[in-house]
Amino acid sequence: MQSNSSNNNNNQPQTSHTSTSRSSDSGEACGAGNKWASKLLSECARAISEKDSSKIHNLLWMLNELASPYGDCDQKLASHFLQALFCKATDSGQRCFKTLTTVAEKSHSFDSARKLILKFQEVSPWTTFGHVASNGAILEALDGASKLHIIDISHTLCTQWPTLLEALATRNDETPHLKLTVVVTASIVRSVMKEIGELTKEELGVQEDEAVAINCNGALRRVGAEERNSVIRMFQSLNPRVVTICLRYYTLYFEMLEESFVPTSNERLMLERECSRNIVRVLACDEENDGGECERRERGSQWFERLREAFSPVGFSDDVVDDVKALLKRYRGGWALALPQGDHESGIYLTWKEEPVVWASAWKP
């Protein structure tokens, strides 16, 4: 754990409505609709589950003939999922994931990873949507407090905070004292997620006179399924004024990258490879012998049920929604803000071509 302290036009997006039941954080990428890759991959996954060796062999052969990591969206989808399904069928998920991660870490550094995130933010609201929504909720929840403490459990490499710091510095009242505690590991939130539920106020440096906000941007998916309730209880023990949650879904991910970057973009290639590693981790790593690599994702509706056992959902204000809409105007058409339907849902969604890809929500004790 590492702590850092500091003082301190394109198309108009449409607002629509969606449901948490539509959101699937299963690692799927551009698998919606009637595309051939989605159908074949679903059949292959079903055959593996049913241990139908003959059907597995035929479908893997067919996918291998059609797939290509350098082809169109369907071919890439098939290629990356084929790798994961093959690992699943041969019980080689852990070994494959470790090999892919080792290769990636040899060519990546903190600086290169941060540059990649910033470049991605220039062409897509995939991460900035959650930043703007969460920062708005945090600023409103901490309004008027003189001593602020933000506990950041995410893998954004601090790219979320410059705009929030600027907003705090220009507040009408006296500029507050801010403590920013960033919970990370060298591999950007891996094994530490198993220990978060055991962290205490003392270990996080939380003082009684501080107004606390907890920010979880894309990191909760790495918490083991059996440990997620204990992590939420730990959040509750810190008595925060607000907890902000951002979950990303991989529906249409490759298609989104295809339309955001040119075909020869190195950034696009690195993001696709990162997604490929995540697909292997989700589909092929065995939870019983995972060594920290296994990842079990849940829908937004499932996280909603978990969170509301300890917290109450907070609706985003009109000002925050307006800020998010203004953000989306900076990007090409296809992106939109979607509102949930029903009394038992909360938060806002970023949609790409009407499909939910990011869920942002805010919670209070």
Side-chain angles (χ1 to χ4, degrees):
M1 183 179 73
Q2 173 182 341
S3 295
N4 296 322
S5 297
S6 61
N7 291 322
N8 213 103
N9 288 325
N10 294 325
N11 299 29
Q12 169 72 35
Q14 300 297 312
T15 301
S16 57
H17 295 268
T18 190
S19 167
T20 48
S21 62
R22 291 179 57 197
S23 304
S24 175
D25 196 8
S26 61
E28 290 185 64
C30 72
N34 297 316
K35 296 187 177 183
W36 61 263
S38 178
K39 290 184 176 181
L40 287 179
L41 289 166
S42 294
E43 288 185 36
C44 189
R46 190 177 303 110
I48 291 174
S49 177
E50 297 172 353
K51 299 182 179 180
D52 187 336
S53 58
S54 177
K55 194 172 183 179
I56 293 171
H57 176 80
N58 290 335
L59 288 169
L60 287 178
W61 179 87
M62 188 181 303
L63 284 166
N64 189 56
E65 290 294 304
L66 295 171
S68 169
Y70 307 105
D72 62 22
C73 187
D74 260 346
Q75 290 174 309
K76 287 182 178 180
L77 173 67
S79 175
H80 295 304
F81 269 84
L82 174 63
Q83 175 180 240
L85 289 172
F86 179 81
C87 290
K88 180 70 173 178
T90 57
D91 294 323
S92 59
Q94 266 77 27
R95 183 170 67 252
C96 178
F97 178 75
K98 288 178 180 178
T99 300
L100 293 172
T101 301
T102 299
V103 171
E105 289 177 347
K106 285 182 179 179
S107 59
H108 285 190
S109 63
F110 179 92
D111 186 55
S112 64
R114 193 170 189 276
K115 287 181 178 178
L116 176 61
I117 290 176
L118 291 173
K119 180 62 178 178
F120 192 19
Q121 290 174 359
E122 291 179 9
V123 298
S124 168
W126 178 261
T127 59
T128 52
F129 174 86
H131 294 182
V132 172
S134 297
N135 284 354
I138 290 171
L139 286 169
E140 291 180 351
L142 302 183
D143 186 37
S146 60
K147 295 186 68 175
L148 317 180
H149 189 173
I150 298 175
I151 300 171
D152 183 26
I153 306 171
S154 64
H155 48 70
T156 62
L157 303 184
C158 292
T159 59
Q160 176 175 341
W161 303 119
T163 54
L164 182 137
L165 294 175
E166 182 180 356
L168 286 175
T170 56
R171 275 189 2 181
N172 293 330
D173 54 354
E174 184 178 349
T175 301
H177 176 278
L178 171 66
K179 182 194 298 180
L180 177 62
T181 300
V182 183
V183 182
V184 298
T185 65
S187 56
I188 310 177
V189 188
R190 186 184 291 174
S191 61
V192 72
M193 297 305 297
K194 290 194 172 182
E195 304 168 6
I196 282 182
E198 301 172 5
L199 291 175
T200 64
K201 281 186 176 183
E202 292 72 25
E203 289 169 322
L204 291 169
V206 176
Q207 304 296 318
E208 292 299 327
D209 60 346
E210 293 176 338
V212 176
I214 301 173
N215 180 71
C216 298
N217 199 324
L220 285 182
R221 57 189 174 86
R222 295 305 314 276
V223 180
E226 72 283 356
E227 297 155 348
R228 291 174 179 176
N229 288 337
S230 65
V231 168
I232 293 172
R233 287 194 295 271
M234 187 277 291
F235 291 167
Q236 189 179 30
S237 72
L238 300 178
N239 194 29
R241 289 198 181 184
V242 67
V243 178
T244 53
I245 306 291
C246 180
L247 298 176
R248 302 187 186 97
Y249 313 119
Y250 284 88
T251 304
L252 303 180
Y253 185 74
F254 287 147
E255 182 177 330
M256 180 266 293
L257 291 180
E258 188 172 57
E259 298 196 23
S260 298
F261 293 98
V262 298
T264 56
S265 166
N266 287 331
E267 291 87 1
R268 174 181 166 183
L269 180 61
M270 287 189 288
L271 290 166
E272 288 176 345
R273 287 176 175 172
E274 180 186 18
C275 185
S276 179
R277 294 193 297 274
N278 288 336
I279 292 170
V280 171
R281 184 169 60 200
V282 171
L283 295 184
C285 289
D286 185 357
E287 197 163 14
E288 294 182 359
N289 303 291
D290 68 345
E293 280 80 32
C294 181
E295 180 177 322
R296 292 294 173 260
R297 301 192 173 190
E298 292 183 313
R299 298 172 183 266
S301 57
Q302 292 172 295
W303 275 108
F304 178 85
E305 293 300 325
R306 287 183 184 276
L307 287 161
R308 74 172 183 175
E309 292 183 5
F311 298 97
S312 299
V314 181
F316 288 102
S317 70
D318 291 341
D319 287 341
V320 174
V321 170
D322 287 343
D323 286 344
V324 173
K325 289 180 178 179
L327 169 77
L328 297 185
K329 290 180 182 178
R330 294 166 38 190
Y331 299 99
R332 64 183 303 158
W335 297 104
L337 169 71
L339 304 175
Q341 293 179 326
D343 297 331
H344 302 289
E345 301 177 46
S346 69
I348 54 177
Y349 292 90
L350 172 67
T351 64
W352 167 251
K353 297 184 176 179
E354 301 184 352
E355 188 72 24
V357 293
V358 180
W359 176 57
S361 63
W363 303 80
K364 65 180 181 181

